[in-house]
């Protein structure tokens, strides 16, 4: 464990370290299934569970290991309080659709509770109120308007001047009867149940495309095929676009998390600040002791300051307001946001009958992940889903998303050009261990990382997705793309899509 107040040297999420997972084989041959699922996070595992319960033959693959992507790096709040959103949603989608959104989230919470009871799962579930707080006059009016939206939608809430959290605030908006849990303890049981029901799970198996013959097939990097009737893309960024144009319809943001032991006792509840830099707080247990989980400092992927500075900012916040006894874990996460802030859940595009997608949960993937698994299971089982139309990726709501659409894409264009023109002159030899730089080698923009054993790793920094230039992420030791959020290890391997091919390695000896 790290010394008090020092950041752990390597990122590792609190959730993953406390739990043993079985490992699963790599897919070594072509197989058939009714439904092929790509991605072993909350959507993929829950869909596998729901479908296998109905005797549907499921094959699930994950490019790495299951439950180690966004689901393994979450805050794990099960809440319908998704920042200040309901006032905006009513204006944009109307009251009926906004109510549907709220009810979908609350049904997800009810599903989790019911499943915990049915399967007798010990996953630290507890009911908590969710709270948005602000210390900024600018946000007080927004919280007041959000409370009016709660009233209009019959959401049980309360606007108050003071809550028990000992972080300065002038106003807070409470949403009653929300919850928190340990998602990996919950989903581990769902994965086990799915396997008992006949589901097959494969790890270290990367999907690179979908091909059609008589039936659609998932094509893996090794050239194996999973021939199936339906495909679910639960891989965070869809690996197969299906002419849905997802790179132009979503942007990626990173956020940072700490798990600490603090001098102050956690007052109960789950908190998030209205203003930026965001501070999101909840408690969890570790070996019978209370731990604070603090998340914040979001920024567009590949566009922030040095990532270690974001952790430091969280550390400073925790020290100032909570008093740190020990920093136990640090980790970061990546979230995708759609143009209108509603996730895309449904057919990947109108033309594709058999391929479904679930993506763009912003940072609210626990409830939206369950919503997605239920919608997709209903669509595949040809049952009516009350929420399918609301979430369909084929919707088009021009306003206010159009403004963001233009800005998002202008931003991509800027990074396409900016990355090509700018590079530092740093001499590779001046690098200290565990540092990286961008330089030009034989006319190519090249990223060079010097590891702890003083070994150099050089990659061509041109993202293999659509050609933007990746930037170094010092906190995670990855190359991150500012355009659509692809991330690569320092040796160039794809860690997160939409890119499918690794960065080209550069030989420094030549
Ligand atoms: Fe699209 Fe890099 S992720 S260009």
């Amino acid at each position: 464990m790290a010394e008090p107040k020092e950041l752990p040297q390597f990122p590792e999420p609190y959730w993953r370290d406390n739990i043993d997972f079985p490992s699963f084989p790599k897919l070594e041959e072509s197989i058939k299934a009714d439904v092929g699922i790509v991605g072993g996070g909350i959507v993929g595992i829950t869909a596998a569970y729901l479908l296998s319960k109905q005797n549907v033959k499921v094959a699930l693959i994950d490019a790495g290991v299951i439950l180690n992507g966004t689901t393994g790096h979450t805050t794990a709040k099960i809440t319908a309080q998704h920042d200040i959103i309901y006032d905006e949603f009513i204006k944009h989608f109307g009251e009926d659709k906004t109510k549907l959104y709220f009810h979908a989230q609350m049904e997800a919470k009810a599903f989790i509770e019911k499943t915990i009871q049915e399967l007798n799962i010990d996953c630290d579930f507890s009911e908590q109120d969710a709270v948005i707080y602000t210390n900024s006059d600018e946000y007080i009016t927004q919280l007041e308007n959000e409370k009016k939206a709660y009233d209009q939608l019959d959401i049980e809430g309360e606007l108050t001047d003071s809550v028990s959290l000992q972080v300065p605030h002038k106003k807070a908006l409470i949403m009653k009867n929300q919850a928190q849990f340990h998602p990996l303890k919950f989903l581990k049981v769902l994965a086990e149940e799915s396997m008992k029901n006949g589901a097959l799970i494969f790890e270290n198996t990367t999907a690179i495309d979908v091909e059609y013959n008589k039936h659609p097939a998932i094509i893996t990097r090794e050239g194996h095929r999973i021939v199936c009737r339906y495909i679910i893309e639960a891989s965070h960024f869809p690996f197969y676009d299906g002419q849905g144009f997802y790179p132009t319809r979503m942007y990626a943001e990173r956020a940072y998390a700490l798990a600490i032991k603090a001098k102050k006792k956690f007052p109960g509840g789950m908190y998030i600040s209205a203003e930026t830099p965001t501070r999101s707080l909840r408690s969890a247990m570790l070996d019978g002791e209370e731990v604070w989980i603090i998340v914040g400092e979001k920024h567009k992927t590949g566009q922030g300051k040095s990532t270690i500075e974001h952790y430091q900012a969280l550390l400073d916040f925790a020290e100032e307001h909570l008093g740190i006894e020990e920093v136990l874990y640090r980790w970061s996460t990546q979230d995708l946001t759609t143009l209108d802030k509603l996730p895309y859940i449904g057919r990947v595009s109108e033309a594709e009958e058999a391929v479904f997608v679930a993506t763009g949960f912003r940072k609210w993937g626990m409830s939206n992940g369950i919503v997605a698994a239920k919608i997709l299971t209903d669509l595949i089982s040809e049952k009516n889903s009350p929420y399918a139309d609301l979430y369909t990726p084929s919707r088009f709501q021009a306003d206010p998303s159009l403004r963001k659409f233009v800005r998002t894409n202008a931003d991509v264009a800027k990074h396409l050009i900016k990355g090509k023109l700018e590079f530092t002159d740093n001499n590779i030899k001046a690098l200290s261990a565990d540092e990286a730089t961008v330089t030009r080698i034989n006319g190519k923009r090249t990223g060079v990382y010097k590891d702890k054993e003083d070994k150099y790793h050089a990659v061509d920094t041109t993202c293999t997705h659509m050609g933007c230039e990746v930037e170094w992420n010092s906190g995670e030791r990855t190359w991150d793309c500012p355009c659509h959020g692809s991330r690569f290890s320092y040796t160039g391997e794809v860690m997160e899509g939409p890119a499918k091919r690794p960065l080209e390695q550069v030989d420094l000896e030549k």
Side-chain angles (χ1 to χ4, degrees), residues 130-407:
V131 181
I132 307 173
Y133 69 91
T134 185
N135 202 35
S136 149
D137 293 335
E138 196 191 321
Y139 282 90
I140 289 176
T141 317
Q142 288 196 36
L143 283 187
E144 287 166 352
N145 290 339
E146 187 73 351
K147 174 64 170 65
K148 284 184 200 145
Y150 282 20
D151 294 343
Q152 195 178 339
L153 301 166
D154 293 324
I155 298 174
E156 198 184 340
E158 184 189 336
L159 198 59
T160 174
D161 293 338
S162 175
V163 286
S164 324
L165 183 72
Q166 290 172 356
V167 171
H169 59 276
K170 294 177 177 168
K171 226 19 144 205
L173 177 61
I174 302 171
M175 186 183 279
K176 301 281 190 188
N177 306 323
Q178 306 301 298
Q180 63 185 26
F181 71 155
H182 191 309
L184 271 55
K185 289 184 183 173
F186 175 77
L187 291 165
K188 180 187 173 186
V189 176
L190 264 56
E192 287 163 355
E193 288 296 311
S194 306
M195 287 173 63
K196 281 187 209 158
N197 297 337
L200 301 172
I201 300 179
F202 300 95
E203 294 184 327
N204 300 308
T205 303
T206 305
I208 57 163
D209 206 357
V210 169
E211 277 180 17
Y212 284 89
N213 209 326
K214 189 169 164 212
H215 294 293
I218 300 165
I219 312 298
T220 71
R221 182 173 288 161
E222 284 74 22
H224 302 310
R225 308 167 80 83
I226 303 172
V227 180
C228 35
R229 285 192 298 135
Y230 297 106
I231 293 168
I232 293 179
E233 296 193 68
S235 51
H236 204 206
F237 209 107
F239 72 96
Y240 169 71
D241 193 63
Q243 299 213 314
F245 303 106
Y246 288 88
T248 63
R249 300 165 70 199
M250 290 196 292
Y251 62 92
E253 285 184 326
R254 294 201 70 71
Y256 300 83
L258 298 178
I260 65 161
K261 281 189 191 160
K263 293 190 179 113
K264 285 194 184 154
K265 195 167 159 36
F266 198 90
M270 308 180 294
Y271 301 86
I272 190 162
S273 64
E275 57 268 43
T276 52
T278 311
R279 298 288 178 256
S280 171
L281 303 117
R282 63 158 281 188
S283 64
M285 296 302 282
L286 182 68
D287 301 330
E289 282 192 71
E290 183 183 86
V291 169
W292 289 67
I293 294 177
I294 306 156
V295 180
E297 292 286 305
K298 70 176 182 194
H299 64 84
K300 284 187 83 178
T301 302
Q303 298 185 27
K305 50 193 175 190
S306 158
T307 50
I308 221 75
E309 288 178 38
H310 293 290
Y311 286 115
Q312 190 60 48
L314 290 181
L315 208 59
D316 294 346
F317 168 86
E319 181 63 9
E320 182 181 349
H321 299 294
L322 316 174
I324 298 173
E325 281 188 343
E326 187 172 6
V327 186
L328 301 166
Y329 301 90
R330 74 171 170 99
W331 68 97
S332 69
T333 184
Q334 181 149 308
D335 292 297
L336 297 166
T337 299
T338 69
L339 298 179
D340 57 10
K341 299 187 184 166
L342 259 184
Y344 299 132
I345 302 168
R347 291 193 166 80
V348 68
S349 64
E350 270 173 350
E352 299 267 356
E353 280 292 309
V355 183
F356 296 89
V357 72
T359 189
F361 297 161
R362 285 197 295 145
K363 50 188 178 286
W364 306 107
M366 294 296 102
S367 53
N368 272 320
I370 298 288
V371 171
K374 285 171 71 75
I375 290 177
L376 299 184
T377 304
D378 284 345
L379 289 173
I380 286 170
S381 315
E382 295 180 5
K383 287 188 201 144
N384 274 337
S385 165
Y387 308 114
D389 284 349
L390 175 69
Y391 284 97
T392 178
S394 305
R395 69 182 179 271
F396 184 68
Q397 303 275 353
D399 181 45
S401 52
L402 197 60
R403 279 199 307 274
K404 186 168 272 177
F405 179 86
V406 171
R407 218 173 35 224

Side-chain angles (χ1 to χ4, degrees), residues 413-456:
K414 186 179 86 189
H415 282 280
L416 265 165
I417 298 160
K418 174 178 171 273
K420 308 266 178 233
L421 297 179
E422 287 180 8
F423 61 95
T424 64
D425 257 334
N426 293 351
N427 190 322
I428 298 171
K429 294 212 169 67
L431 280 176
S432 300
D434 201 23
E435 271 185 8
T437 188
V438 174
T439 187
R440 209 165 269 277
I441 295 173
N442 296 332
K444 261 190 192 167
R445 190 180 188 271
T446 304
V448 183
Y449 170 65
K450 186 177 179 184
D451 71 18
K452 293 206 170 61
E453 278 77 49
D454 292 338
K455 187 169 169 220
Y456 292 99

Side-chain angles (χ1 to χ4, degrees), residues 463 465-468 481 483-486 498-499:
C463 177
H465 177 231
M466 286 169 69
C468 289
C481 182
C483 289
H484 313 107
S486 289

Side-chain angles (χ1 to χ4, degrees), residues 59-80:
L60 183 151
I61 61 172
D62 194 290
V65 295
I66 65 165
L67 298 172
N68 197 30
T70 315
T71 303
H73 292 72
T74 173
T75 327
K77 295 177 179 174
I78 309 166
T79 179

